[in-house]
Amino acid sequence: LYGNWQLSYVSDKSMPFDVLYPIDRRPILMFDKAGNVVSGNTGYNTYNCPVRINSNGIAFADCTVTKMDCEGPGEAIFMEDLKDINNYRFTDENTLVLFTDDDTVMRFTRIK
């Protein structure tokens, strides 16, 4: 998981993905080397979350987020979805998929 990941899919169908997350406003996950903190940006604000990881289980908790105004519902959807994630899987070395139970919620692409 260590590294940087950019959101490439979200299961929310309220609006097209490119409208929720314009190319320059896509959320980023950055896992630290120790594996117990994830940080990044929501497209508008920065956040920090303690994260618990074991085998394929993962849980994000008590995220702190800066309070800059943002356009549209994308940030709220991203932060709400993170709260419900409980497992993950790699479909290849550059694609991380986050699930709630067996439902795909978000997909991320590794970035340099």
Side-chain angles (χ1 to χ4, degrees):
L1 286 171
Y2 169 68
N4 301 330
W5 302 88
Q6 183 175 49
L7 187 67
S8 58
Y9 167 84
V10 67
S11 62
D12 185 277
K13 301 294 183 205
S14 63
M15 300 173 83
F17 181 79
D18 290 339
V19 173
L20 283 172
Y21 307 104
I23 191 73
D24 62 335
R25 294 285 183 185
R26 296 206 173 140
I28 304 283
L29 292 174
M30 296 181 293
F31 288 90
D32 73 352
K33 285 185 180 182
N36 58 0
V37 174
V38 66
S39 59
N41 70 65
T42 64
Y44 291 91
N45 288 290
T46 59
Y47 67 90
N48 244 319
C49 298
V51 62
R52 290 183 311 276
I53 302 165
N54 57 20
S55 62
N56 284 352
I58 190 168
F60 302 88
D62 303 322
C63 296
T64 58
V65 183
T66 58
K67 303 283 186 201
M68 185 174 84
D69 285 338
C70 56
E71 297 175 26
E75 178 179 77
I77 291 167
F78 177 74
M79 294 308 296
E80 282 299 313
D81 284 351
L82 272 185
K83 293 177 187 176
D84 296 329
I85 298 299
N86 58 21
N87 59 67
Y88 71 96
R89 180 173 54 231
F90 295 100
T91 57
D92 59 46
E93 66 183 32
N94 293 312
T95 306
L96 168 65
V97 183
L98 300 180
F99 297 88
T100 299
D101 301 323
D102 292 327
D103 297 326
T104 300
V105 177
M106 293 186 271
R107 187 169 39 245
F108 292 83
T109 302
R110 186 183 300 275
I111 56 176
K112 306 285 182 219

